[in-house]
Amino acid sequence: MTRPRVGVLAMQGAFREHIAALARLGADAVPLRDAAELDRLDGVVLPGGESTTMDKLLRKFGLQQPLAERIRGGLPVMATCAGVILLADEVRDGPPDQESLHLLQLKVRRNAYGRQPESFEADVDLSVLDAPFRGIFIRAPVIEEVGEGLDVLAEIEGAPVVVGDTQRLALTFHPELTGDDRIHRYFLEEMVVRATSQAGVAHVATEGGQDAETREAAG
């Protein structure tokens, strides 16, 4: 099987660490800076960083709408920290001109845990992992409301810190900074590879149906 190709938004933030984690797991991990690259991807990661800066750069380089269209069309996505803010439907405590992609029915509050000095670590019990994951929270957002169709996969003190569905995974912490690749593995195996396999089966089925129609017409 061809290695899954995953793009990591590489305009600002902790994209190098995501690329390294995905590469360790055998993925073809590449920096994403150009909309032309989107059609070649099997999945995408939106890293942590400064959400307002990433928002402005997405718009400046013409990547905002093409990225939103590909994710809306089924491209698997994993978002961490600031990446969750980019995906959210509503951003609270952001500057007036900040935009989001409106791709997750979430209401999030920026920097809700405080500034850099208030960063912390905590064990996160994810329902999809067999043991706790040590989460690193740096200027993390808080998910205040979760819409229909999304599962809460982990909480800390009653606040969701991991939510998702079969295509989208959103985490308010930084798994790429831990050296523990289990969350990236879950994203690759349960979302990216599965979506690629299903797309391949659908393509074969479509071709098979067309061949049958062709044979019937010829007969």
Side-chain angles (χ1 to χ4, degrees):
M1 180 179 177
T2 305
R3 292 195 303 165
R5 186 176 179 86
V6 180
V8 180
L9 186 64
M11 294 183 167
Q12 191 266 345
F15 61 89
R16 295 179 183 85
E17 291 82 356
H18 279 292
I19 290 174
L22 292 164
R24 286 195 296 269
L25 296 170
D28 182 11
V30 297
L32 172 62
R33 299 186 180 94
D34 187 340
E37 178 72 18
L38 284 167
D39 288 338
R40 303 175 57 205
L41 299 181
D42 301 308
V44 65
V45 173
L46 307 183
E50 174 49 59
S51 63
T52 54
T53 300
M54 286 194 282
D55 164 43
K56 291 176 181 177
L57 291 173
L58 280 173
R59 285 183 275 164
K60 179 178 179 179
F61 291 100
L63 194 53
Q64 183 193 57
Q65 290 307 312
L67 176 62
E69 289 171 7
R70 281 288 280 126
I71 295 174
R72 200 173 288 118
L75 182 70
V77 56
M78 180 169 80
T80 63
C81 199
V84 179
I85 297 172
L86 289 179
L87 286 184
D89 192 51
E90 181 179 323
V91 180
R92 296 170 174 172
D93 286 346
D97 62 341
Q98 182 167 5
E99 297 181 10
S100 68
L101 300 177
H102 302 284
L103 294 174
L104 278 179
Q105 288 191 26
L106 297 177
K107 295 181 180 180
V108 300
R109 190 171 299 278
R110 294 174 69 250
N111 302 331
Y113 289 108
R115 307 299 293 177
Q116 196 87 4
E118 284 75 48
S119 300
F120 67 96
E121 297 184 17
D123 285 335
V124 180
D125 290 312
L126 278 85
S127 59
V128 296
L129 298 183
D130 58 0
F133 190 97
R134 191 67 174 172
I136 298 176
F137 294 78
I138 302 173
R139 298 177 61 193
V142 165
I143 297 172
E144 296 188 333
E145 294 185 36
V146 179
E148 294 183 3
L150 293 173
D151 296 321
V152 176
L153 305 178
E155 295 181 342
I156 289 182
E157 298 181 353
V161 294
V162 185
V163 301
D165 55 21
T166 58
Q167 178 211 347
R168 301 165 295 179
L169 185 65
L171 311 97
T172 61
F173 54 91
H174 290 264
E176 77 282 2
L177 301 180
T178 65
D180 183 343
D181 294 335
R182 287 180 295 155
I183 290 176
H184 288 83
R185 183 182 298 279
Y186 172 80
F187 174 64
L188 276 178
E189 294 180 353
E190 299 300 323
M191 295 186 176
V192 176
V193 173
R194 179 172 294 183
T196 303
S197 299
Q198 290 174 344
V201 170
H203 180 66
V204 171
T206 301
E207 286 189 337
Q210 290 173 340
D211 289 345
E213 291 173 2
T214 301
R215 289 194 296 270
E216 183 176 347

